[in-house]
Amino acid sequence: MAAWPAGVPRVYCPIAPPAQVHPLAEKVGERSMRWLAGFGVFDGEDGLQQQIAASRVGEAVGRAAPRASEEGLQLYADWSAAAFAFDDFYCDMGPTSSRPDAFLDVAMRVLYRIERPEAARWDDTLLSDAFADLSRRVRALAPTMWPSWVTGHQDWFLGSVHGIARRAGADGGPAGIADHLATRSSDGAMRLNHSLIEMAEGARLPDELRGGPTVGAATAAAYTLVLLANDLVSHRREAEAGATNTNCVEILTPAGGAVEDGMERVVRLHDRIMCLYLRLSRQLRATGDQRLRRYIDQLSTYIRANLDWSMSAPRYQAHISGGAPAAAGTVTAWATVPLDGRLTAPAIPSIAWWWEQLR
């Protein structure tokens, strides 16, 4: 059984896991590694190949989209492998990780291939062909979701360049917590991850329902829960790479304080948002709209799936524990009560409106 990492305070998560991980999870993960290797992404990049293998993309998507079609799950897994490679090579640890000007050149080339996959590659940008292939497949599988596919990448690359620019700034320090929570979902490609879950499972909430403030608050809260958990488990890995300026642990660590102080503050914020999310979820389910219920079910599964995957993925475990990764399994070692369960807004103006949707 996997375990919550040593040295990281436990988070509160009463959301039950799905009945099963998608039965094809391991198979699609193996295919994704072969697919990505077929574009030459790993040529001369043994370290990158090991990092992507350590991400266990098959398990990640199999937990997050347990009702997906095989084609949809494969698309989600392939994108996840390419996204991890892009993030590792260009955003966090590669040659453009502290050069926003150079990163923008790369991002615009890749974005052009995403928008116009028919165009031939004209340079040696790593991953350009892989993203063009994904675009052709999205257009065939879910043509009505094509616009959100393109705008999702625009949002992701904008968030990424913001993080790189912060790292390259004069002080190199992190943003404040209000700015961080306003931009982190973009940097974390959350809209893309979510849209790929909807695409893989063939169930997308209509635009007229997803635009309301209550749905918007629940969605933003869910995304933030995923990202706060990721910040906790990835902090050591990012610290070793000198890339913690977009990590909430770093932002919430008080001046002169220890990392453990920052982690505790992240857990308090996580648990407070979790309590909000649970209440908003109940409100939306109480409307009786089956489309909203399915939407909330997907978000909740994603929150829990991310936690369970984080407990077994070598990408994080080896850095946290310094030892062998835990075996995949069901995680039950969550905090039974929230460290902060208040249903009032924290003093963070960029997210305080979420609590205003409570009824």
Side-chain angles (χ1 to χ4, degrees):
M1 181 178 292
W4 187 248
V8 178
R10 298 173 189 270
V11 298
Y12 175 62
C13 183
I15 298 170
Q20 65 172 6
V21 179
H22 197 290
L24 296 175
E26 184 176 356
K27 181 181 292 186
V28 300
E30 292 170 352
R31 289 176 186 162
S32 289
M33 290 299 295
R34 293 195 297 270
W35 170 82
L36 198 55
F39 294 102
V41 172
F42 301 137
D43 294 353
E45 297 287 346
D46 292 342
L48 182 62
Q49 184 170 8
Q50 292 171 3
Q51 287 167 206
I52 306 310
S55 300
R56 287 186 181 169
V57 295
E59 181 188 344
V61 302
R63 289 185 182 278
R67 303 179 189 88
S69 67
E70 181 172 356
E71 183 181 9
L73 193 71
Q74 191 67 61
L75 177 64
Y76 187 17
D78 290 353
W79 177 84
S80 297
F84 275 126
F86 187 89
D87 196 51
D88 287 348
F89 192 79
Y90 288 118
C91 302
D92 289 341
M93 305 172 191
T96 64
S97 60
S98 60
R99 292 188 55 200
D101 56 337
F103 174 80
L104 275 172
D105 286 341
V106 168
M108 293 306 292
R109 291 187 197 116
V110 175
L111 187 59
Y112 185 81
R113 300 291 310 287
I114 289 169
E115 295 175 331
R116 297 289 181 265
E118 298 81 11
R121 179 165 55 93
W122 65 89
D123 71 325
D124 60 354
T125 298
L126 192 70
L127 292 160
S128 177
D129 287 339
F131 279 104
D133 179 71
L134 288 166
S135 278
R136 284 188 287 267
R137 291 159 59 191
V138 167
R139 210 158 46 186
L141 177 66
T144 60
M145 294 188 69
W146 172 260
S148 65
W149 164 258
V150 173
T151 58
H153 283 90
Q154 293 169 344
D155 179 62
W156 175 29
F157 291 168
L158 179 62
S160 296
V161 77
H162 176 265
I164 291 169
R166 291 292 314 177
R167 191 177 304 132
D171 60 1
I177 187 62
D179 281 341
H180 174 78
L181 294 179
T183 59
R184 182 70 174 93
S185 288
S186 297
D187 189 23
M190 294 305 296
R191 290 182 191 174
L192 269 171
N193 267 287
H194 187 191
S195 67
L196 280 156
I197 292 170
E198 292 184 304
M199 197 182 302
E201 294 194 334
R204 185 176 190 274
L205 189 69
D207 289 340
E208 62 269 22
L209 291 178
R210 70 195 306 138
T214 305
V215 173
T219 303
Y223 291 176
T224 303
L225 288 170
V226 170
L227 292 166
L228 290 176
N230 284 353
D231 281 356
L232 284 167
V233 299
S234 66
H235 182 266
R236 180 171 174 177
R237 177 178 180 273
E238 292 175 3
E240 291 174 0
T244 57
N245 66 309
T246 57
N247 189 297
C248 207
V249 173
E250 192 79 7
I251 293 166
L252 290 180
T253 297
V259 168
E260 290 75 15
D261 298 326
M263 285 192 170
E264 180 179 329
R265 291 186 177 188
V266 172
V267 172
R268 286 184 176 278
L269 180 60
H270 173 281
D271 291 359
R272 194 165 176 172
I273 294 173
M274 176 64 78
C275 292
L276 167 74
Y277 173 77
L278 295 172
R279 281 284 296 270
L280 291 174
S281 297
R282 287 197 289 271
Q283 282 183 208
L284 291 169
R285 287 194 172 103
T287 65
D289 190 309
Q290 292 303 313
R291 296 167 298 177
L292 280 174
R293 289 189 176 192
R294 177 64 186 273
Y295 182 81
I296 290 299
D297 286 345
Q298 282 182 326
L299 284 176
S300 298
T301 295
Y302 184 32
I303 293 167
R304 177 58 192 253
N306 175 71
L307 285 169
D308 288 342
W309 165 74
S310 296
M311 297 310 93
S312 62
R315 180 181 181 88
Y316 302 127
Q317 287 288 329
H319 284 267
I320 295 168
S321 64
T330 300
V331 183
T332 57
W334 308 123
T336 56
V337 295
L339 200 58
D340 185 344
R342 288 175 289 174
L343 283 171
T344 54
I348 304 174
S350 59
I351 66 171
W353 67 274
W354 300 350
W355 280 263
E356 294 173 3
Q357 312 316 312
L358 290 173
R359 300 291 181 264

